[in-house]
Amino acid sequence: MSNDTQKADQIAFHFYTKLFYVLNHARATAEPGPNAKVDKWFNLETPDSDLFPRESRDRYKSISTSLSASASNSSSSLSSPSSSFSSSTGVPPLEIQVLLTIPDLNTNQVLVYLPDSSSSTSTRNRVQPTPKHVLLEKWVLEFTPRNATHRTRDRDRGGREGAEEASGPAGSSVALLTIYKHGIPLFRSLFSLLRILPAWKVAKRLKRRGLGGGAANGMSVVLRVVDPTSAGGAGDILGFGPSSSQSDESHYQTQVSQTLTLPTSTHAFPPVPHPLGTLTLTRLISRIRISGLTSWRAC
């Protein structure tokens, strides 16, 4: 592996880690530890966090190796492409969910959903069964490789497989400094955007009330990294309804979404070029108004 390839892998890896750090800093109600390090990548200082699982983080340490392994598996098999993202491209998407935790309710309390445009006299929708979390936002960072035809494989006279290089079409070469420079405005704009979206007010309110550290009602905002190898999502999360991704599918999700679909909005950021493809960040947020953070009264 060339030195440039290693550096390109390193920069791409920090796109994934920086996304988690920026989201965690703006959303999680739990304060970082006193000895937390400061991540300074892309000219933006954010607290480091051990909450990004190591097994999830390690998937993105070497994109070039993952793509090479995927290309080798594809060339040695004549079967149809797998539906799994990780097996078809080698690099699974990083999906980070921002979740509002729901405390255990008393016998005289229920969780209800009131549409934002509804009046005080409108019918409230009772959410059953009561979830442990409500999905507020979903952020997905996806790596899309270039067409497989741009890759060439060298073989020596003995027929042994040599190093695989990214040749690409003419003009597709991306300088390492260019990748880094694209990351600076991306994360700066993300840093600002996170502080005007609805979930920011929720997190600030909970922090101000001192509920982030596990107060009596147990409400907080946490982050969850979705396991791309899992066949289904957690069954205790109220998601975005039928339009949600495969990672949200579960018996619980299907049961609730029959009567409740949370309004959402989606936005894709401009893709960031990489020598082997592109990095694209997409956000999906729930356009619900959250109030009554201390308790829910019985209907």
Side-chain angles (χ1 to χ4, degrees):
M1 182 184 297
S2 68
N3 187 45
D4 283 349
T5 300
Q6 290 179 333
K7 290 181 178 178
D9 281 344
Q10 182 186 31
I11 296 174
F13 172 69
H14 282 283
F15 267 86
Y16 292 95
T17 57
K18 194 66 172 184
L19 175 61
F20 184 89
Y21 297 155
V22 172
L23 291 175
N24 187 70
H25 181 48
R27 292 292 182 263
T29 49
E31 296 290 345
N35 298 323
K37 298 180 180 179
V38 177
D39 182 272
K40 298 182 180 180
W41 270 80
F42 306 108
N43 293 357
L44 181 64
E45 295 188 359
T46 50
D48 200 336
S49 175
D50 294 332
L51 298 178
F52 194 178
R54 177 177 295 275
E55 61 273 14
S56 299
R57 188 173 64 245
D58 289 349
R59 294 189 181 102
Y60 309 104
K61 279 192 172 181
S62 181
I63 286 180
S64 60
T65 301
S66 299
L67 292 175
S68 297
S70 178
S72 299
N73 293 335
S74 298
S75 63
S76 61
S77 175
L78 298 178
S79 60
S80 60
S82 170
S83 60
S84 170
F85 186 96
S86 59
S87 61
S88 60
T89 68
V91 184
L94 172 62
E95 179 178 326
I96 303 174
Q97 298 177 342
V98 178
L99 306 172
L100 175 69
T101 60
I102 306 300
D104 293 332
L105 304 182
N106 298 327
T107 55
N108 65 335
Q109 295 177 317
V110 294
L111 178 63
V112 298
Y113 166 66
L114 181 65
D116 188 53
S117 59
S118 300
S119 64
S120 58
T121 59
S122 299
T123 302
R124 293 179 294 176
N125 302 298
R126 181 172 179 177
V127 181
Q128 290 183 305
T130 303
K132 293 294 185 182
H133 304 88
V134 175
L135 181 60
L136 300 180
E137 298 173 339
K138 181 192 301 182
W139 300 82
V140 181
L141 182 58
E142 185 172 350
F143 183 82
T144 304
R146 299 190 189 280
N147 192 288
T149 58
H150 86 287
R151 306 188 68 84
T152 59
R153 180 166 298 159
D154 297 330
R155 293 179 178 274
D156 60 19
R157 293 181 179 180
R160 290 172 296 181
E161 186 174 298
E164 190 177 55
E165 299 176 339
S167 57
S172 65
S173 178
V174 180
L176 298 178
L177 184 58
T178 300
I179 311 173
Y180 190 87
K181 285 185 175 180
H182 274 78
I184 294 175
L186 172 65
F187 286 108
R188 284 184 176 178
S189 60
L190 177 60
F191 184 90
S192 300
L193 176 63
L194 286 168
R195 283 152 179 80
I196 61 176
L197 292 175
W200 168 252
K201 294 182 179 180
V202 177
K204 281 190 64 178
R205 192 181 308 177
L206 290 174
K207 286 182 179 181
R208 186 166 57 247
R209 295 185 181 186
L211 305 182
N217 71 356
M219 182 171 284
S220 63
V221 176
V222 298
L223 268 63
R224 170 178 177 256
V225 177
V226 176
D227 184 358
T229 63
S230 177
D236 58 357
I237 298 176
L238 174 58
F240 294 144
S243 61
S244 58
S245 66
Q246 181 180 1
S247 61
D248 293 323
E249 293 176 359
S250 66
H251 173 70
Y252 173 87
Q253 176 66 26
T254 303
Q255 184 178 359
V256 173
S257 62
Q258 290 176 354
T259 58
L260 174 62
T261 301
L262 302 183
T264 60
S265 64
T266 306
H267 174 74
F269 293 80
V272 175
H274 185 275
L276 301 178
T278 57
L279 288 154
T280 305
L281 175 63
T282 305
R283 66 123 170 98
L284 183 67
I285 67 171
S286 173
R287 295 185 290 106
I288 59 174
R289 178 164 49 91
I290 299 173
S291 59
L293 292 176
T294 55
S295 64
W296 291 272
R297 300 300 179 185
C299 293

